[in-house]
């Protein structure tokens, strides 16, 4: 059966999302809370009962309680040290990942802005070209020069924005690859910590139960039931259960692709123009004759002029 790993199940198709990472962190925080609750139990509940019993029992029973209390204090200190050690190591990874997430999201935002500016420059250049063609025979030479100058400027701006957009895409891809590698490393580190925590926590509980069983023989049947439940504790199953419960996706986000503005324009479905209406052509108009009192007509090169 294939082993269930954190690195295979905590992804999101959204490049800027941290849902997988956040799910792991939440689970680790819950684990730390369990350790702290057990630590407090060792310090307060069991120890207090042992000390209270010491005042009421004969010296030999009280001596056993003192020894047990000392053992519990030592175990609580071990649990505290283990928890703080994991917290310290995990904090280093969290700081690295926070910086990478911030850098990734910042570059993504810059790339989207570069794309927006690039597309705007494309539209500006198209409008300038249309203005040149539209006014080719309707403006003066000076106005034409202004139109051509504006067209040249928009082309230059387009080249700059296109180059900047492509550079942003390249930078984003490098950051995305770096983030993906660090995310995998973080998942592997957190999984190792979680395995250690489960193992340590299980062993600590087992030891504590044995200590209580030695001190309270009459409750040994109850503690045996706890041991049986602990025997069923499986690191692999706990990891698999958590992954199945909280997994966010098994595929990393795809690279952000460069989108050429004009390719998108060419691939767009052309709009059908209405069918053209045939234009009938007449023959030349006949030269009318003037009657008495009518205005005179004159024809020049096929044009008729009315003289009153």
């Amino acid at each position: 059966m294939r082993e269930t790993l954190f690195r295979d199940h905590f992804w999101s198709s959204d490049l800027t999302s941290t849902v997988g990472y956040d799910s792991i962190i939440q689970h680790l925080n819950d684990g730390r809370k369990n350790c702290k609750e057990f630590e407090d139990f060792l310090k307060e509940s069991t120890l207090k009962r042992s000390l209270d019993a010491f005042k009421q029992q004969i010296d030999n029973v009280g001596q056993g309680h003192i020894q047990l209390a000392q053992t519990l204090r030592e175990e609580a200190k071990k649990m505290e040290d283990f928890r703080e050690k994991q917290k310290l190591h995990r904090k280093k990874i969290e700081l690295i990942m926070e910086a990478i997430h911030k850098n990734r999201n910042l570059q993504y935002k810059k790339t989207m802005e570069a794309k927006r500016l690039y597309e705007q420059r494309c539209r500006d250049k198209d409008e300038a070209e249309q203005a040149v063609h539209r006014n080719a025979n309707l403006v003066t030479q000076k106005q034409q020069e202004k139109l051509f100058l504006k067209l040249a400027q928009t082309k230059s701006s387009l080249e700059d924005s296109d180059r900047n957009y492509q550079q942003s895409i390249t930078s984003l891809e490098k950051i995305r690859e770096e983030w993906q590698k660090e995310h995998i490393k973080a998942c592997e580190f957190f999984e190792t910590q979680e395995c250690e925590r489960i193992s340590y926590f299980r062993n600590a509980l087992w030891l504590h139960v044995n200590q209580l069983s030695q001190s309270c023989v009459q409750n040994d049947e109850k503690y045996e039931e706890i041991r049986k439940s602990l025997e069923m504790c499986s690191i692999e199953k706990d990891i698999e259960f958590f992954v199945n419960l909280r997994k966010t996706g098994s595929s990393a986000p795809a690279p952000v692709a460069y989108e050429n503005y004009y390719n998108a324009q060419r691939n767009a479905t052309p709009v059908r123009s209405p069918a053209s209406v045939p234009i009938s052509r007449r023959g030349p108009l006949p030269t009318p004759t003037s009657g008495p009192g009518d205005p005179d007509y004159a024809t020049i090169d096929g044009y008729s002029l009315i003289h009153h």
Side-chain angles (χ1 to χ4, degrees):
M1 183 177 67
R2 187 175 183 274
E3 186 179 6
T4 302
L5 301 176
F6 281 17
R7 59 178 292 178
D8 296 331
H9 297 279
F10 292 94
W11 299 98
S12 171
S13 58
D14 183 1
L15 178 60
T16 63
S17 174
T18 61
V19 61
Y21 177 83
D22 293 341
S23 183
I24 295 176
I25 293 298
Q26 180 61 45
H27 181 66
L28 296 179
N29 286 335
D30 293 341
R32 286 183 61 243
K33 182 179 179 182
N34 290 340
C35 290
K36 186 65 170 62
E37 290 174 350
F38 181 61
E39 176 187 332
D40 293 339
F41 169 76
L42 292 175
K43 285 182 177 178
E44 299 174 6
S45 178
T46 305
L47 181 58
K48 186 177 184 299
R49 290 200 305 269
S50 297
L51 294 177
D52 290 342
F54 169 73
K55 299 175 182 179
Q56 302 173 11
Q57 302 300 327
I58 59 177
D59 288 345
N60 58 339
V61 176
Q63 186 62 36
H65 287 174
I66 291 176
Q67 294 175 354
L68 177 60
Q70 179 61 32
T71 302
L72 295 180
R73 279 195 293 268
E74 292 173 357
E75 291 302 316
K77 184 63 170 62
K78 291 179 182 178
M79 178 67 73
E80 181 182 6
D81 292 342
F82 172 78
R83 181 171 54 84
E84 291 300 319
K85 180 181 177 181
Q86 280 209 331
K87 178 182 177 182
L88 180 62
H89 289 170
R90 203 181 82 202
K91 187 63 177 178
K92 296 177 181 178
I93 301 299
E94 289 178 358
L95 291 174
I96 293 174
M97 293 304 296
E98 287 174 5
I100 290 177
H101 290 160
K102 182 178 180 180
N103 188 36
R104 178 200 62 187
N105 293 347
L106 179 62
Q107 183 59 40
Y108 179 81
K109 184 177 180 180
K110 289 173 60 178
T111 301
M112 293 301 100
E113 176 61 22
K115 178 183 177 182
R116 185 195 66 78
L117 185 60
Y118 159 71
E119 292 178 345
Q120 182 60 48
R121 294 293 180 263
C122 288
R123 288 188 287 269
D124 292 344
K125 194 267 291 185
D126 290 347
E127 290 176 1
E129 285 181 340
Q130 293 172 6
V132 169
H133 295 308
R134 187 170 54 247
N135 299 295
N137 299 320
L138 302 178
V139 297
T140 64
Q141 181 66 27
K142 186 175 182 180
Q143 291 174 326
Q144 283 188 344
E145 292 176 356
K146 289 183 178 180
L147 292 174
F148 279 110
L149 177 60
K150 183 177 181 180
L151 176 59
Q153 292 173 342
T154 58
K155 287 182 177 180
S156 178
S157 297
L158 173 57
E159 292 174 357
D160 292 340
S161 61
D162 184 31
R163 182 167 50 253
N164 183 55
Y165 177 30
Q166 295 191 47
Q167 289 174 350
S168 295
I169 287 290
T170 301
S171 299
L172 178 60
E173 177 59 18
K174 290 181 180 178
I175 293 175
R176 187 196 68 84
E177 291 177 352
E178 179 187 1
W179 160 76
Q180 185 167 305
K181 292 178 182 177
E182 291 299 326
H183 182 79
I184 291 174
K185 289 167 59 177
C187 286
E188 292 171 345
F189 176 82
F190 292 148
E191 183 173 345
T192 299
Q193 272 207 334
E194 182 65 357
C195 291
E196 291 175 352
R197 186 193 67 81
I198 294 173
S199 177
Y200 190 93
F201 193 65
R202 181 184 62 177
N203 293 338
L205 282 174
W206 188 291
L207 177 60
H208 177 60
V209 168
N210 284 338
Q211 292 167 344
L212 294 179
S213 179
Q214 292 171 5
S215 177
C216 305
V217 177
Q218 65 272 26
N219 291 328
D220 190 59
E221 291 182 0
K222 296 179 180 179
Y223 299 145
E224 182 62 18
E225 291 300 319
I226 298 177
R227 283 194 290 267
K228 290 179 180 179
S229 67
L230 291 175
E231 287 175 347
M232 298 177 63
C233 178
S234 168
I235 295 176
E236 293 78 13
K237 289 183 178 179
D238 279 8
I239 293 294
E240 183 177 0
F241 175 80
F242 164 65
V243 168
N244 291 333
L245 181 65
R246 301 285 184 83
K247 62 184 177 182
T248 58
S250 57
S251 300
V256 179
Y258 167 76
E259 300 176 8
N260 186 281
Y261 177 83
Y262 294 103
N263 285 346
Q265 293 289 77
R266 286 196 293 270
N267 293 333
T269 304
V271 179
R272 294 185 177 181
S273 57
S276 58
V277 180
I279 301 175
S280 61
R281 298 187 177 275
R282 300 181 182 179
L285 293 174
T287 302
T289 57
S290 301
D294 292 335
D296 295 330
Y297 288 85
T299 59
I300 301 176
D301 296 333
Y303 291 90
S304 297
L305 302 177
I306 301 178
H307 295 280
H308 293 278

